[in-house]
Amino acid sequence: MKLTIDEYSKQFKMSKEMISSKLRAKKLNYIIDDSVTYILVDDIPTEVEEKKVETLQVKKAIAKPKTTVATVIALYQRENTQLKEKIMQLESKIDKLIDDKEQMLRDERDKIEQLYSKKDEQLKNILELVNTKMMLEHQGQTIHEVETLEEADTLDITPVTEPGIVELKDHLKTLNLKSYQRKVIKRRFLSVYDNDVRVVHKDGKLYLDFSKYDYSDLLSY
């Protein structure tokens, strides 16, 4: 059967532009008779057949794939696998957080132990300095008593000191310092002797014990 372009367009509900495109692409069989283009087609299905075809097409479009037991099981297995992976990831994160927390606690414990160790050492040093100062003060009292007894017999007073204990004034004379420098150092000792156990103040004099202490911080200029 042959149809003109208009007939073909109405029969198959296709635009003329699309029909012309298909003709140029030689996707349709056609002939030209008396300058009129005819498209060659097979027998056109009857109206009943067309309705059957349309009904089948609608049913295919509406029909949904049946869900089988295997499909459901596969779906649950896939979801179960995903959940297991998420649980493993969460457990790994929790373990890491616990390890980090434990490490932080261990570090904090070590810091506290070091702090208390330093405090204990400082306390021992303070007690040792206090005891030393008390001993020096006691020795200073003994020296003063001896000097008092000797004053009754002679006017030549020679201070009695322990080995290593030197009066600040005498020590400054041995240093190559100018007068104003010695005054600055003496004022420095006077400002700290109440709080510094290394410096002994007795009868208006300052004594230094080089056998036990270092005075470089106070003697520097």
Side-chain angles (χ1 to χ4, degrees):
M1 182 180 293
K2 60 181 181 179
L3 299 174
T4 64
I5 293 177
D6 291 337
E7 292 172 345
Y8 190 90
S9 174
K10 292 178 181 179
Q11 181 66 36
F12 294 96
K13 297 178 180 181
M14 186 180 298
S15 66
K16 294 180 180 180
E17 289 78 6
M18 184 176 291
I19 294 172
S20 298
S21 177
K22 288 181 177 290
L23 289 174
R24 287 194 297 271
K26 296 183 180 180
K27 292 183 178 180
L28 295 175
N29 296 325
Y30 66 93
I31 59 174
I32 298 175
D33 188 4
D34 294 334
S35 300
V36 179
T37 301
Y38 294 95
I39 301 172
L40 302 177
V41 296
D42 297 332
D43 293 338
I44 300 174
T46 62
E47 185 176 354
V48 175
E49 290 176 347
E50 288 179 354
K51 288 183 178 180
K52 287 183 179 180
V53 171
E54 290 178 357
T55 303
L56 288 174
Q57 291 177 349
V58 171
K59 286 183 178 180
K60 288 181 180 180
I62 296 175
K64 296 182 179 179
K66 294 182 179 180
T67 303
T68 62
V69 176
T71 303
V72 175
I73 292 174
L75 178 62
Y76 279 115
Q77 288 178 344
R78 184 167 62 254
E79 292 180 351
N80 189 31
T81 302
Q82 293 175 352
L83 289 174
K84 285 182 178 179
E85 291 177 354
K86 290 182 178 180
I87 291 172
M88 291 177 63
Q89 292 175 358
L90 289 174
E91 290 178 348
S92 177
K93 290 181 179 179
I94 292 172
D95 292 340
K96 188 177 184 304
L97 289 173
I98 292 173
D99 293 339
D100 292 343
K101 186 65 176 178
E102 289 179 351
Q103 184 62 40
M104 289 174 61
L105 292 174
R106 285 194 292 268
D107 294 341
E108 191 67 23
R109 181 198 60 192
D110 294 340
K111 290 180 181 179
I112 293 173
E113 289 179 353
Q114 292 178 0
L115 179 61
Y116 275 103
S117 176
K118 291 180 180 179
K119 292 293 183 183
D120 291 341
E121 188 67 26
Q122 291 176 356
L123 181 59
K124 290 178 182 178
N125 293 334
I126 291 172
L127 291 175
E128 183 179 352
L129 292 174
V130 171
N131 291 332
T132 303
K133 184 175 181 179
M134 292 175 63
M135 291 176 60
L136 291 174
E137 289 179 351
H138 179 70
Q139 292 174 357
Q141 291 177 356
T142 303
I143 293 171
H144 178 66
E145 291 175 357
V146 172
E147 289 177 347
T148 303
L149 291 174
E150 290 181 351
E151 283 178 356
D153 298 331
T154 178
L155 295 175
D156 187 10
I157 301 174
T158 303
V160 179
T161 59
E162 293 293 330
I165 298 179
V166 181
E167 186 181 349
L168 175 62
K169 182 179 179 181
D170 295 337
H171 180 69
L172 291 177
K173 291 179 180 179
T174 63
L175 301 177
N176 186 19
L177 297 173
K178 295 180 180 180
S179 177
Y180 75 91
Q181 292 176 331
R182 289 195 293 270
K183 290 180 181 180
V184 171
I185 294 174
K186 187 174 182 181
R187 282 197 296 269
R188 189 183 300 159
F189 274 88
L190 289 172
S191 64
V192 301
Y193 76 88
D194 283 334
N195 300 320
D196 197 331
V197 296
R198 299 176 298 170
V199 183
V200 179
H201 184 259
K202 188 67 177 176
D203 297 332
K205 298 179 180 180
L206 299 177
Y207 293 92
L208 313 178
D209 189 354
F210 287 97
S211 64
K212 293 183 179 180
Y213 305 110
D214 177 33
Y215 299 91
S216 59
D217 57 323
L218 295 174
L219 292 172
S220 63
Y221 190 85

